[in-house]
Structures are given as C-alpha cells and as structure tokens.
Amino acid sequence: MATPVSAVRLCRLAGRTVTSLSVRHSHLARRCYITTSTGMNLQFRLDERTAHSSLDLFKKNTGVIYRILGLDPSHVQDNPERFRDWAVVFGDEKISSGRHYWEVTVKKSQEFRLGVAEALMSREDCVGTNNSSWVFGYAQRKWFAMTNNKVVPVTLVGKPDRVGILLDYEAGLLGLVDIEKPAIIHSFRVQFKAPLCPAFGLWDGELLTHSGVEKPEGLK
C-alpha cells in the first residue's frame, strides 16, 4: 500500500516572497477574467495576471517554467489576481457548465499540481489546500489527489510525459486521465457551485498546456 504523502511537505511555501497581498473577492469579481466557457472544446491560455513571480510564461502563454529566483516582486504588476506566496497560475477561462478536456505535457518537473480551482479562490492559499480547489499532484516520485489539505495517494506506475484532465461540471467529476490506455486513473466527485479555472502549481521544470483538443477515443 502506498504511503500517504506528507501534507506539510506538499504545502511548503515554494517560491514564497517577503511581500504578501490581502485578496478581497469583490476586487477579483470586478477585475478577474472576461469570458465564461460552457461548450465542449475549452480553449485557454495561462493568465499572466495570476502568475507568481517565480513563473515565466512562454509559447504564447500556453507553457510555464519555474525560475528558482524568479522576478523581483516589486517588478511585477501589482494586482489582486496574482499569487504572491505560491508558485501558482490559473488559466484565463472560467468554466460554469459543460464537459471539458485538456492535456498537460510535463518536462523535467518533479513537483507540480494540475486541476481546477474556483475563479475567486483566495490568492493567499495554494491550490489543493482549501475547499475551493481540486488538484492531482506529483512529488517525491508519487502521485496524489488533494483538496482542502487532504492528500490521497494515487496509484500510477511511473511518471508519464503527458496526462489529461477531464472535467464534467454538471456531473461533478474531475478526472486524471492516462491518455495511453485511455482511462481515468483517479477522480474527484464534487458538487461544483462556482465558476472554475484550470489551475497549475509548479516548483521545478516546466509544463505545457494543450487545450482545444479532443478527448481520447474510448474514454468514457
């Protein structure tokens, strides 16, 4: 049986800066995000306004790379959407209904998180540590599922270079997909009550997102 990954280890202040920022949901509601996705072929880019200063976006904001030093926080545009304490970035689309699928290529990363979070999630939290975000992560050569600071080991042989994320808003399903089989490896069952955004945490290496793609044939 797999040994649970330490929540303390997973919730370390990776990329933490000296400066902190209080976030008010009213500010986020006025300024964060423009469009709302309800269709099947979700297309998104990473939202630079939300990106922690240790994360650099590239390839027209579809990829993200972790920089151990990062940018001086004073040189990053100040806005309430940005994560100041955690190496997190959101996608620039809100999802309020529908069934959606996207994929992520992992390059030289040994610690990352992939999933969704409520668009108005507090920027003082890391994805997976509260009840408004649901992620699949990889650390210490083990996969896990995490929400509200609760970590559940996910049985997965090896570390694939590319995985899929399946979201069915109405059915309350968020699944981690092995695109080679294809099959859902692990899933959350949640009654979503607010618009969601694709969410990513990264503490080394880089991630490349692929949206607007069809789910693998045969995946239920």
Side-chain angles (χ1 to χ4, degrees):
M1 180 177 293
T3 302
V5 182
S6 167
V8 174
R9 158 74 175 133
L10 294 172
C11 300
R12 64 186 176 85
L13 292 181
R16 185 157 196 161
T17 64
V18 175
T19 304
S20 63
L21 177 67
S22 295
V23 177
R24 295 182 179 178
H25 285 186
S26 58
H27 289 172
L28 289 173
R30 288 200 302 269
R31 299 180 59 187
C32 187
Y33 312 100
I34 298 173
T35 58
T36 298
S37 178
T38 59
M40 295 292 290
N41 295 320
L42 175 71
Q43 290 187 306
F44 66 87
R45 296 183 186 274
L46 301 176
D47 190 344
E48 190 279 332
R49 296 173 300 171
T50 67
H52 184 268
S53 60
S54 65
L55 300 178
D56 280 351
L57 306 187
F58 67 98
K59 203 171 183 179
K60 297 182 179 179
N61 288 4
T62 61
V64 57
I65 186 168
Y66 177 80
R67 307 287 189 186
I68 191 168
L69 295 178
L71 300 174
D72 184 334
S74 64
H75 295 165
V76 177
Q77 183 179 2
D78 187 13
N79 61 68
E81 295 99 297
R82 190 176 306 282
F83 285 87
R84 291 286 179 172
D85 293 340
W86 301 94
V88 171
V89 61
F90 278 3
D92 64 359
E93 281 280 345
K94 289 194 297 184
I95 304 167
S96 59
S97 66
R99 184 178 172 90
H100 306 277
Y101 176 79
W102 60 93
E103 294 180 353
V104 182
T105 296
V106 180
K107 294 187 176 182
K108 299 179 181 179
S109 179
Q110 297 299 319
E111 188 168 1
F112 56 86
R113 298 179 192 176
L114 319 167
V116 298
E118 293 182 359
L120 298 184
M121 177 187 130
S122 170
R123 299 318 195 242
E124 294 180 347
D125 294 341
C126 185
V127 288
T129 64
N130 55 29
N131 60 6
S132 57
S133 57
W134 302 265
V135 295
F136 304 102
Y138 185 85
Q140 301 178 17
R141 299 182 180 180
K142 296 178 182 179
W143 280 92
F144 60 91
M146 186 177 183
T147 185
N148 206 22
N149 231 16
K150 296 179 181 178
V151 178
V152 177
V154 173
T155 302
L156 181 66
V157 178
K159 182 168 80 69
D161 294 328
R162 185 160 168 162
V163 296
I165 299 292
L166 179 66
L167 171 67
D168 190 324
Y169 192 96
E170 282 82 7
L173 169 70
L174 179 70
L176 176 66
V177 177
D178 182 335
I179 64 177
E180 297 298 328
K181 291 185 176 180
I184 294 177
I185 302 163
H186 193 90
S187 63
F188 289 99
R189 287 290 183 176
V190 184
Q191 185 178 358
F192 298 119
K193 299 179 179 179
L196 305 173
C197 293
F200 308 86
L202 182 67
W203 290 274
D204 65 356
E206 59 187 79
L207 302 175
L208 184 62
T209 65
H210 312 277
S211 63
V213 297
E214 296 292 335
K215 68 181 180 67
E217 186 176 351
L219 179 67
K220 298 180 179 181

